[in-house]
Amino acid sequence: MKRKIYSLIVACTLLFASSCDLDLLDSPNEVTAATADPSWVLNNVQLAYAGMFEGISNTGAQITRILSQPNVNYQNAYGPEALNGVWSTSYATILSDIQFIENELNTPERPIPRHVAIAKVIKAMVLMHLVDHIGDVPYSKALNASDFAPTVDSAEDVYKVALDELVAARAAFAISTAALPTDLFYNNNVVRWQRLVNTLELRYYLNTKLVNSGSAARIAALVAEDNLLKAGDDFVFRYGTSQTNPDSRAPKFGQYGGGGGAYQSTWFMYHLTEAKGLEDPRVRYYLYRQTTTNPTDPDELRCLGEIAPGHYLAGSFPFCLPNMTVNGKGYWGRDHLNNEGIPPDGFRRTMYGLYPAGGRFDENSASPVNSPLLGAGGAGLQPIMLSAYVDFMVAEAIQTLGVPGDAKQRVLDGVTKHMDFVRSFALASSQAGVVTAFHPTATWNAAVAAYLAKVGADWDAAATDRKMNIIAREYWLSLFGNGAESYNLHRRTGQPDNMQPGLAVDPGLFPRSFLYPTVFTVTNKNAPAQKANLGQRVFWDTNPEGNGWVN
């Protein structure tokens, strides 16, 4: 017994003696360069970027009619709080963690070039997103721990930093290393990362084509090098099916179980089902109908008892439903800028489908999405940059910049690649059996061939100054799940034009950029004066002001 007491006294003495050596100013909970795992920090960057992309993607999708915008006008829809989440995630999490990786974790004693390379690509994308949506933003002083009120840098300078980061990432990927991160995108496939870097450079030069005289030559060189994203190289973030601890499902799958959520766009569904006189083969993958017939009760869908606004009638725009006749197929969403109250239609309206939300394939079952176990269970993805997008971007460069190539073939290639990607995603999902039972390979192939023939015929019939509209239309229809690129496309080209207008005759200025977020302006004494309106253009958008160019 005495020995046990003595041992306890000795142990306590050593404990107290050791505690005297602790620096009481160091929090044991603080992550430092000595305690941080570079892969865990990079994991946080990758996950945060997926969340940030979801936010800006949904915003762009609503503006460009891929989704319905549930406000009466643009000013109400996009106040100074609209991008608070995007701003905070970009600076407080993504860019801050990347700086930690580059400056603290990457040392001569512990070089981690692959971590740095991936971080630089994400950094470049975040900086470009911020400029694309806001314009002048903080960068040079933004992550200085001693500067709590950073000033903004010019948008053009920040965009150039993004390009420099891509160049630096290319060099870092070339460094051989055994220190490999957990790569949630490409599983450390350097070839695919290099192709993504080249594709993002293409994106940079295409966005800046109106202000950069060197864009055409650099794009032509990138196309000639033929090292852009190819089929199978698609840059996507994939989700799982875990419901809790953590919830790993695609955000758009949140409609399943509770119903409701975002309304699909009447205008987008019209183009998928009615505009060409044949059904887009992707529509049953994109969307799931909870009814295969049009509603008839105005208490369920108020616009059934209303007359279309005069400007809708004058422009022959679809109103209320893509097809208001007895032949309507139950595609049920909302028109652009519709802020009406929400009736109990959560288990009646059209929902997200299998792609990219990880929901149900539409095989005409028309049953409610009343369980979170339906469909692919949320195993969806974020289509951030697909190989199909490359063809549409190159087609635009050929058509508008004179880059060598066949624009028509590029459009057809882009459509084909996207059809193949959507189909392959579906066949790799838990819904493969449902898909192939309804859409056997022969049926699918015939539908794709008919669609491509229609697009080709439209191209041949279009006047030269209308071919860009076809490029943009088909790109737009392939951007379901990626509103960031549709927003850039629409401002950059003004196409597709003649979009369904808002229900109000005057919806206010189309957002050519967003207001500075309140999380920046309220807390930063050096923040610039708030923008006068949403019509202020970012530096690369020198197209005509006002809603005559885009609406």
Side-chain angles (χ1 to χ4, degrees):
M1 182 68 179
K2 290 181 179 179
R3 180 176 298 173
K4 290 182 179 178
I5 295 174
Y6 177 75
S7 298
L8 182 60
I9 293 172
V10 171
C12 289
T13 302
L14 290 173
L15 174 63
F16 291 132
S18 299
S19 69
C20 292
D21 294 331
L22 288 176
D23 185 345
L24 298 181
L25 296 178
D26 293 337
S27 168
N29 297 320
E30 183 180 354
V31 177
T32 66
T35 60
D37 183 324
S39 292
W40 286 12
V41 180
L42 184 61
N43 286 352
N44 194 49
V45 169
Q46 295 174 88
L47 291 169
Y49 178 68
M52 181 256 199
F53 184 82
E54 170 76 7
I56 59 169
S57 178
N58 286 341
T59 299
Q62 290 177 337
I63 295 174
T64 58
R65 285 73 157 178
I66 292 174
L67 295 176
S68 173
Q69 165 47 250
N71 284 272
V72 69
N73 58 45
Y74 290 123
Q75 183 176 348
N76 283 10
Y78 303 112
E81 73 289 339
L83 293 189
N84 275 347
V86 168
W87 184 278
S88 296
T89 301
S90 297
Y91 284 105
T93 302
I94 301 175
L95 295 177
S96 178
D97 281 357
I98 289 174
Q99 178 173 271
F100 185 53
I101 291 171
E102 292 180 323
N103 295 351
E104 302 293 334
L105 300 181
N106 182 44
T107 65
E109 296 76 27
R110 184 178 64 173
I112 46 173
R114 188 68 53 78
H115 296 71
V116 170
I118 293 173
K120 284 184 175 295
V121 174
I122 295 175
K123 179 180 180 180
M125 297 182 77
V126 168
L127 292 177
M128 286 194 284
H129 289 320
L130 289 170
V131 170
D132 291 340
H133 288 74
I134 298 172
D136 296 345
V137 294
Y139 175 71
S140 60
K141 299 180 179 179
L143 303 176
N144 185 343
S146 63
D147 189 344
F148 296 101
T151 54
V152 297
D153 296 84
S154 79
E156 189 169 4
D157 287 347
V158 177
Y159 229 56
K160 181 59 169 58
V161 169
L163 179 62
D164 292 342
E165 290 296 317
L166 292 175
V167 173
R170 185 182 289 123
F173 277 121
I175 300 173
S176 179
T177 180
L180 300 180
T182 302
D183 178 358
L184 302 180
F185 293 101
Y186 284 140
N187 195 27
N188 287 296
N189 186 318
V190 171
V191 171
R192 288 178 171 173
W193 275 110
Q194 293 280 23
R195 288 175 179 166
L196 174 65
V197 168
N198 294 336
T199 300
L200 294 177
E201 187 177 347
L202 166 66
R203 179 189 186 276
Y204 170 91
Y205 282 105
L206 191 64
N207 272 349
T208 59
K209 67 180 183 179
L210 297 178
V211 295
N212 187 342
S213 61
S215 283
R218 183 54 188 153
I219 292 174
L222 288 167
V223 173
E225 290 165 8
D226 193 27
N227 196 29
L228 302 167
L229 291 179
K230 302 179 185 299
D233 295 333
D234 308 281
F235 186 67
V236 303
F237 185 88
R238 296 184 184 274
Y239 293 94
T241 59
S242 174
Q243 296 184 39
T244 57
N245 299 321
D247 186 341
S248 67
R249 298 170 297 175
K252 291 178 174 60
F253 186 75
Q255 292 183 311
Y256 283 69
Y263 278 96
Q264 300 300 324
S265 162
T266 300
W267 183 241
F268 197 72
M269 292 190 291
Y270 169 77
H271 276 274
L272 290 171
T273 61
E274 302 290 338
K276 290 186 175 73
L278 78 170
E279 192 174 86
D280 189 314
R282 295 165 291 193
V283 67
R284 292 176 180 271
Y285 300 75
Y286 284 3
L287 304 172
Y288 179 80
R289 292 167 299 162
Q290 298 182 98
T291 175
T292 53
T293 58
N294 282 355
T296 57
D297 184 356
D299 288 336
E300 284 189 318
L301 188 60
R302 175 177 165 181
C303 54
L304 291 174
E306 300 174 344
I307 298 174
H311 57 296
Y312 270 55
L313 296 172
S316 299
F317 293 105
F319 170 70
C320 193
L321 295 165
N323 184 335
M324 285 284 281
T325 73
V326 294
N327 298 318
K329 300 176 182 178
Y331 287 101
W332 177 343
R334 283 199 167 183
D335 298 313
H336 188 50
L337 292 172
N338 181 340
N339 72 330
E340 293 174 351
I342 299 177
D345 63 355
F347 291 119
R348 296 276 286 157
R349 70 174 85 153
T350 298
M351 311 297 272
Y352 284 114
L354 177 55
Y355 174 91
R360 298 190 68 175
F361 174 78
D362 188 345
E363 84 294 28
N364 292 334
S365 61
S367 55
V369 294
N370 56 7
S371 168
L373 301 177
L374 292 171
L381 54 76
Q382 295 279 9
I384 301 169
M385 184 55 67
L386 306 184
S387 61
Y389 301 170
V390 172
D391 289 291
F392 293 116
M393 288 191 288
V394 173
E396 178 186 334
I398 294 169
Q399 194 66 26
T400 63
L401 294 174
V403 169
D406 184 338
K408 175 186 176 181
Q409 190 58 51
R410 283 286 185 172
V411 171
L412 296 176
D413 289 348
V415 173
T416 301
K417 285 181 184 176
H418 195 258
M419 297 271 188
D420 289 346
F421 180 75
V422 171
R423 174 77 170 180
S424 295
F425 168 81
L427 296 184
S429 76
S430 63
Q431 295 297 286
V434 178
V435 172
T436 53
F438 187 88
H439 257 176
T441 300
T443 303
W444 167 260
N445 288 344
V448 172
Y451 188 92
L452 290 171
K454 172 60 176 171
V455 173
D458 286 352
W459 179 277
D460 293 339
T464 300
D465 63 355
R466 294 301 296 160
K467 293 187 185 298
M468 186 60 232
N469 184 64
I470 295 175
I471 296 170
R473 181 191 71 192
E474 296 308 315
Y475 192 10
W476 174 67
L477 288 168
S478 299
L479 285 169
F480 192 66
N482 189 329
E485 296 308 318
S486 67
Y487 181 49
N488 286 347
L489 168 72
H490 197 41
R491 289 177 297 162
R492 190 173 65 237
T493 68
Q495 306 293 328
D497 60 3
N498 200 33
M499 293 279 236
Q500 183 193 46
L503 290 176
V505 174
D506 181 10
L509 284 171
F510 179 93
R512 300 291 278 269
S513 70
F514 291 84
L515 302 180
Y516 281 110
T518 53
V519 292
F520 173 56
T521 58
V522 172
T523 61
N524 188 332
K525 65 181 181 180
N526 291 328
Q530 184 59 274
K531 299 176 185 178
N533 54 55
L534 294 167
Q536 295 192 31
R537 299 163 294 171
V538 298
F539 85 99
W540 53 256
D541 176 9
T542 59
N543 290 306
E545 293 182 297
N547 290 6
W549 179 253
V550 286
N551 67 348

